[in-house]
Amino acid sequence: MEILIQQLFNGLTIGSVYSLVALGLTLVYGILHIPNFAHGALYMLGGYITLSMMTLYGVNYWIAMFVSIIVVGLLGVLLERFVFRLLREAPPLHDKIAAIGILLFLEAFAQFVWGADFHTMTSPYGQVVNILGLTFTLQRLLIIVSAIAVMVLLYLFLKKTYTGSTIIAMSQSREGASLVGININKVAMLTFMISGGLAAIASSLASPINLVFPGMGHLVILKAFVIIILGGMGSIPGAIVGGYILGFSESLGATYISNDYKDIIAFILLVIILTVKPTGLFAKGER
Amino acid sequence: MKKLKVLFVFLLLTITVLTGCNKGDSPVSSSGSKGKGENVVNIGFSGPLSGAAALYGKRTLNGVEMAVNEINDAGGFEVDGKKYTLNLVSLDDKYLPNETGSNAKRLIQEYDTPIIFTPHSGGVLALQVFNEQEEFIIGAYTSEPAVTESGNSLTVRIPPNYEGYIEPFTTYAMEHFGKKIAALPTSSQYGKDWTEAVLPHWEKQGGKVVYNSSIDFAKETDFFTIVTNALKKDPDVLFIGGASEPTAKVAKQARELGFKGGFIIMDQAKLDQMKPIAGSYETLEGSIGVLPLMDSDEEAVPAFVEKYQKNYKEDPSSEVGLNYIAMYAFVEAMKSAGSVDDAKAIRKHMQDGLSNIGPDQKIYDIPTIDENGGFASTIVVGAVENGKVVPIR
Amino acid sequence: MKILTKRNGIIALIIFAFSFPFIAQNDYYLHMLTLSFIWAIAVYGINLLSGYTGYLSLAHAGFFAIGAYSLGLLTVKAGMNFWLALVCACLITCALGFLIGLIALRTKEHFFAIYTLCVGYIIYLVIDKWEGLTEGVRGLIGIPAPGNIGPITFDTAASQYYLVLIFLLAVILIVYRIIRSLTGRTYMAIRNSEDLAQTIGISTMKNKLTAFVLSTFFAGLAGALYASFIRFIGPDIGSTAIMFDLLMYLLVGGIGTLSGPLVGTLLLVILSQNLQFLQEYRMLIFGPLLTVIIIFYPRGIAGAFFDWQRKRKDNTLSGVRGELHIKAEEG
Amino acid sequence: MLIETKNLTKRFGGLAAVNNVDFSMEKGRINAIIGPNGAGKSTFFNLISGFHRPTSGTVLFKGIDITKLPANEIAGLGISRTFQTTSLFDQSTVLDNVIVGHRLRTKSNLVDAILRTKRLKREEAACRDKAMEVLEIVGLTESADRIVSSISQEEKKRTAIALALATEPEIIFLDEPAAGINPDETEGLTELIKKLNRSGLTICLIEHKMHMIMNLADHIMVLNYGEKIAEGTPKEIRRNEAVIKAYLGGSASA
């Protein structure tokens, strides 16, 4: 029983990170129908920027994270403006390939600037806490709480503000949105900004419990794709639920099935789902 | 649109020009006189200089490079009455065996290298397909047994066989902590081989294996889950290992989860590289692993460390040191063989090469080379006691 | 008649390719060229599916690995004759390609790309983990070079070069014939608009599946040749890094063009060999190059060349039927 | 009756896009379907051509039930259609675009292609001839070798019709053939449709240009909110109360 609870907690931690990454991915997909393969690279950059702010300028963890959100968010905007906007009318093949090009570039760029080695980010919340036989560090608690807070804020933004509702409107119908006078370009840039920001938050939160290195985005991005397919591409609740499902299935799968094969489990799950339902579990629209 | 076209053409031109300039020049070259002059011996290196393993590749290269620079700065070396200098030619193989193969072909064709260093087993195996035919020695930095078991006559395996570590590691951990072990090694082939060697020995000594599962450091995003599962079995000792940094993370998280016992750290991970990740040696208290070069009590070490730190702004690791000493051994073997290009003769005189290594270079004690071409080093292990690494003999 | 016709150009190129080993007495160049040809065969496979049929597959490095491992296992572990093993390796790849295609092709566009990305990853993981069969991370050693055919042996660099060259020419010929035929037109109709293709009576699933299986055949063939050429294989050959490399060759050369795969592969392999001094920073150039090309030259170098040629001809001899026709079919 | 629909219904979610429509088209006539935007006209086309599976009801072609057939088999029976957006291949010539239209009448496969068999050569010639033939019908012989991206919108419409004709249909469905082209060209297109009809082809079209429909169609069906509200000759339709109301109350796009 005790181990089950501990593992559920572990799953919750890792699921929170997955959800945040998947959210950014699904937002962009929902609005622009781009599977942004470069999203993992944005995640990685977020980690590096936070780390650099902390080590080079001795900035406080939270401020470093804030800078990282802004920088990666702006990078997302640049990508939208100078790459994906130019490809909006192109065949669907093209933006996928452009995204792969960006991914390769950003990874080489990170290695160029920060080197290939592993870095650690020391957060101020390294303390170990023991409650009712449950062991965790404050950082892990922080991940869970912050992720939920970010999701709630995002929800409020999308539902309660005018700008947010334009995003929702556009994800439902791009033509419709432009008919009612929504500036599509603005919304697209905004979406990329939020998406990049979410990636930066996720990596800044997760880095202290892991390592920062050029390939760190790979680990997360493939799983994020699995998640958004699980949850229906473009679906926001789907990304959140999917993230936690994958987090739990990994921690429980490693405990009760096999640690060696738990990665394959996620991908096989995906293949089965798409086999049965080619457009994903909670697909919306008829596309 | 027009402007962009111009830009694109410009980009292409730049690349072409870069390519053109580079023709005939060595692709990457360290110090020493370049070119194919009569008295220059080209030494080849093919290893990962980009991608995830780049750091590791760079360190192995640094070791060779430092030896080459030292030898050239001292005016080269004399073989059969002629003075030679060394020229190191390094190529990136991205850790991919086929790239190692291509690089080797290139090194032989364009640089006529009698020795090619490569720091990964895949690359070594790919080279063994044709190294006897093309007559060059592989300076194999890998402790993968298959590399020397295949009976290739021109392979020199630089690092010590890991089997020598098993006995001292087991004895130390059992004496200090207890008989229950949980294994959490890296999922690489190397990690698995290690596990298969160490666990049976542990059981033979009366120990008990309570948990055994590998971690894939390239795919795992959080180790908490698996460490939780391992600690549930209440082990006295954890067997961990793989790349230093993630291994340190595993150790640290085990401590966070309340583990009080000792660690056996397989030789791929280096205590000194683990320290910054773990925070301090306190976290790693009770670990036993390879003695970091920094903490070695060989007489040549302090001078070597100082020189390396000056040149490369970091602490030397064992892959630096072993490749460094191997380069010296090769040069000494060339001297004894009386030839700088006859690979067979050089290989034949490797024993002399090892014996003739000067006292200033002797940062490791490698008395012999076995018949399969493996360096048989005197194994010295290190343990963390009271926040410090101490050599255990 | 003009001497500088397309036909004569191609003949000259082929003659050059065959005489290359005599011109360049350099094993390294031969080695690189042979390797490029092998990659090019795989890229032709991807081109057939992604370029002509419009389905971006990210699983082909996986099929490449399946071909390589099939050959490796059949020769090393089962002791099969090389040529028989080569045929079997291609058949095994096709069979798996058929099964995967049957499912994967139910999905479209982004789903297909992501699905195949995952399939490729699963193939890689299986090779990596199934130690009993594949030797896992350690890789498969001792794969034999191609066996003798009568008096012809394949133990020198030149003979292997010729072998691979002949395979490559055969593959190009096959692809050329397909894209010029009704079958090729059918594929292009599917790429153009699957809905439209269906309304003009084309069974899209059947055609997509044949294109998919054929493209895995080429990938598998390339993999098998690779295994016998390098004679050592590890799970890395199925990794996404290889997939992205192949994709880059295709895009730079020109997706959906006949000459693109060869042009792209040769150019990029030569470039990356010559840019070795850049090492880890190569992608700083190649990454943006890929993005810029897809934005401004979506059909790569070959496509840009044909567009340019077409424009020039349109200006001078607009309306000459036969000539224009050839160019259009290049597309 | 060439085509008959019985109680044809299609629901998307809870919404009925086509609701209980009975309609029949006689051989050799020009039929038209009109109605305000969103009336379900295109959905109706999609149901007959096999793009959507109806929620309920049947489609009969010469008395045979084709409700569950896939689109490509329906095309094989002799039912062809065009789309609102032409979706031709821009980079290729007009001729090349049309050649593939005859593919469904050929049998050559991959093996034929690789070996370049006689059958393939024969069929390729047949396809080319067919393409030239239909291009002549639609009046595009001169433009056969032009790249599609360089021809006018009206020529693209004609190319799309040629493509549909190359399948040798008995009935052809035209989805807004005159959308986006000027009045003069519309005139020409009307003539073309009449010509096709005279050659024995049955035609069914959706169109917003009321003037064109009224002087072209023999038989008109009016849809509104997915339901058939009227049916008859142009004269009858013009006087129909329900139709007038639907158009006045609905969008002004007519």
Side-chain angles (χ1 to χ4, degrees), chain B residues 147-188:
Chain B
V147 163
T148 37
E149 277 162 14
S150 61
N152 187 289
S153 64
L154 290 176
T155 299
V156 171
R157 197 199 67 226
I158 300 166
N161 190 335
Y162 59 77
E163 277 163 16
Y165 293 118
I166 288 165
E167 162 67 35
F169 282 11
T170 311
T171 317
Y172 180 87
M174 251 187 214
E175 259 173 31
H176 287 77
F177 295 98
K179 302 224 175 250
K180 282 188 287 178
I181 194 170
L184 293 171
T186 170
S187 68
S188 71

Side-chain angles (χ1 to χ4, degrees), chain C residues 177 181 185-186 191 199 321, chain D residues 51 96 103 114 124 145:
Chain C
R177 285 192 162 179
S181 74
R185 289 178 187 278
T186 315
R191 169 188 63 182
T199 55
R321 240 181 103 157
Chain D
F51 264 82
D96 278 323
R103 174 71 173 134
I114 294 169
E124 271 179 348
D145 289 317

